[in-house]
Amino acid sequence: MCLLHFQLRGHTIIPLIGGATGLIGDPSGRKTEREQANATHVEKNVNMLSDSIKTFFHRGLAYAESRLPSASESIFDPEVKNNLEWHNNFTMLEFLRVVGVHARINTMLSKESVKTRLESSAGISFTEFTYQLLQAYDFYHLHRAFGCTIQIGGSDQWGNIVAGLEFINRLSPSKPSKDDQKAFGITTPLLTTASGEKFGKSAGNAIWLNPQLTSIFDFFQYFLKVEDADVEKYLKVFTFLSLEEIEVIMKIHKLEPDKRSAQRRLAAEVTELVHGVQGVKRAEMITNTVFRHPNAKSHMLDADSLIDAFTDDPRMSWCQESELTSVPVMKLASKYGLVPSTSAARQLIQSKGLYFNDHIVPDTHFTMNKTHLLDGRAVMIRAGKDKVILLATPHS
């Protein structure tokens, strides 16, 4: 979001991915050493993350143009950089001569990430100890090769960013020319919930840009379920709504907080930012489908709209018509992950809690025929109020 703001105001931005540093592991914010990542796994992550970032900025610019009248039409998608490009052929001797000679151990020891680890029983390895030099060199390389003058990161990256500034200053000419630009570092507070818990994989509350890792529905739902204490902050951080508009949204929300109008606006805005206008439509349709009353009219559902909404969502699976019309619904629910086991599906049926296209599954042996399927090719199986799967046959 910070890079997007800079980009919208005419700056050239360089999203940087740590293909090299990802092989080492940043000790910042950790009391124990990270398990070393497999090189092939890191490369896969880099490729996926690069695609996600490119998509984010492409859609982010479209989102900004619809919200900010001043958004420039001449802004281009940024070029994502991978620091493996310049670290891969950097020999150890060259690294020591170019980088190590300018590093001071007492300064490196004073970094909070290092001090914390030295005080722990696990200590810190030489590998992680030198991580700050790799990141420092990244800033220097980007500064020298691409004219990058500002590095932005979370507040836990302050020490690494300062190390980069110090390195740039040490290697700058003693008599800089008029073309030499000074370098700066900016950090932002780590994003946390009202309880102080930070977002992230280790905290167990990570949400991903990649819809294969966090489906559009789950992404939308995450922001729909945000606590009242967080929603105003997230509207300011994650959207381009004006402060005046956010103030109006919050006033309306506080009048009837049970309607969660602020969360609905937040979910729609952030989903459009990350997944586009069509992503919002898909998320809202799935939400309306999943949370519809079990006794709702099934004729309100149609196969094509549901398949379009659930495409790429893990809740949808392609099947053959012969399977849908020969295997009991109880076993379909278990096989495709709606319930953990056939016995769990059996218990749901006995308590009238398993549905197909909003009809109660009458017994454990019940098997659909083609007339039961939506438009002859899809079935939505529901467990309880809000757990669903969509099974569909491809067009013949």
Side-chain angles (χ1 to χ4, degrees), residues 58-228:
H58 180 74
R59 290 178 176 159
L61 292 176
Y63 170 80
E65 287 174 2
S66 68
R67 300 297 190 281
L68 303 175
S70 59
S72 171
E73 295 181 1
S74 61
I75 297 174
F76 299 100
D77 291 342
E79 183 180 354
V80 180
K81 295 292 182 184
N82 175 2
N83 63 8
L84 192 62
E85 294 173 21
W86 49 89
H87 282 300
N88 201 29
N89 296 317
F90 210 170
T91 67
M92 182 176 180
L93 286 176
E94 187 180 5
F95 182 79
L96 292 174
R97 286 174 60 84
V98 174
V99 181
V101 70
H102 295 287
R104 294 294 174 264
I105 293 297
N106 53 337
T107 302
M108 295 176 69
L109 289 171
S110 69
K111 303 298 181 187
E112 190 62 37
S113 59
V114 174
K115 287 198 298 184
T116 301
R117 289 287 294 279
L118 287 175
E119 292 167 1
S120 71
S121 58
I124 187 170
S125 69
F126 176 75
T127 299
E128 285 196 333
F129 180 60
T130 57
Y131 179 94
Q132 59 184 283
L133 298 184
L134 296 177
Q135 188 167 324
Y137 184 80
D138 287 344
F139 196 3
Y140 167 75
H141 177 81
L142 293 174
H143 182 70
R144 182 189 63 185
F146 303 102
C148 178
T149 56
I150 302 173
Q151 182 178 178
I152 304 174
S155 56
D156 61 341
Q157 294 300 308
W158 176 246
N160 293 332
I161 292 175
V162 169
L165 293 172
E166 292 170 349
F167 192 63
I168 289 170
N169 291 334
R170 286 180 183 274
L171 269 69
S172 295
S174 56
K175 293 183 178 180
S177 69
K178 63 179 181 179
D179 295 326
D180 288 326
Q181 293 181 297
K182 193 173 181 181
F184 300 88
I186 297 176
T187 59
T188 61
L190 292 179
L191 191 62
T192 59
T193 63
S195 63
E197 186 180 44
K198 80 170 190 174
F199 280 50
K201 298 185 293 297
S202 56
N205 62 354
I207 48 176
W208 306 81
L209 298 176
N210 188 330
Q212 298 297 322
L213 298 174
T214 299
S215 72
I216 296 176
F217 168 75
D218 289 326
F219 187 92
F220 184 88
Q221 285 295 310
Y222 180 90
F223 288 98
L224 197 59
K225 295 175 182 177
V226 161
E227 299 288 340
D228 283 351

Side-chain angles (χ1 to χ4, degrees), residues 21 92 159 247:
T21 41
M92 182 176 180
E247 185 178 350

Side-chain angles (χ1 to χ4, degrees), residues 296-322:
K297 301 294 184 182
S298 60
H299 69 262
M300 297 296 289
L301 302 174
D302 77 273
D304 287 341
S305 297
L306 284 174
I307 290 169
D308 181 61
F310 277 84
T311 297
D312 297 328
D313 191 284
R315 294 167 186 78
M316 189 183 109
S317 299
W318 294 107
C319 306
Q320 294 300 316
E321 182 185 316
S322 58

